[in-house]
Amino acid sequence: MANHKSALKRIRSNETKRLRNRYQHKTTRNAIKKLREADKQEAETLFPTVVSMIDKLAKRNIIHDNKAANLKSELAKHIAAL
């Protein structure tokens, strides 16, 4: 167990951040799945929202920048193919 007051605070804040990151990542994954299952009209309306969510994850280093770019590219190709 941690001996310093700052270490205890760091443990608490890390857990809070971990849960927030996990929630945001899971929410984004669900939005991506919903977009993939949608028809063309609905997918086009969802696309800007999903791209924004992906960009926020990349900005906060929850996912890598390249992974974000690959996801956005893949989704754009998917919508174009519908």
Side-chain angles (χ1 to χ4, degrees):
M1 192 64 202
N3 292 322
H4 297 281
K5 195 173 182 181
S6 62
L8 292 170
K9 182 177 179 181
R10 175 61 73 186
I11 290 168
R12 288 195 309 269
S13 65
N14 284 345
E15 181 64 14
T16 305
K17 289 174 187 172
R18 184 185 73 84
L19 292 174
R20 185 184 310 119
N21 290 342
R22 200 168 141 207
Y23 170 79
Q24 290 172 345
H25 197 181
K26 185 66 175 177
T27 305
T28 304
R29 287 199 307 262
N30 287 339
I32 290 169
K33 286 177 191 171
K34 187 177 177 184
L35 188 144
R36 285 193 177 125
E37 293 169 357
D39 60 330
K40 188 169 180 76
Q41 186 69 29
E42 188 181 354
E44 285 176 343
T45 57
L46 284 173
F47 185 67
T49 310
V50 174
V51 166
S52 173
M53 293 169 84
I54 291 170
D55 285 338
K56 284 177 188 170
L57 290 181
K59 185 176 83 173
R60 296 179 183 134
N61 289 322
I62 298 170
I63 61 173
H64 195 275
D65 290 343
N66 291 352
K67 181 180 174 75
N70 290 338
L71 281 171
K72 291 190 292 185
S73 170
E74 187 182 315
L75 291 173
K77 280 169 57 176
H78 174 73
I79 291 172
L82 289 176

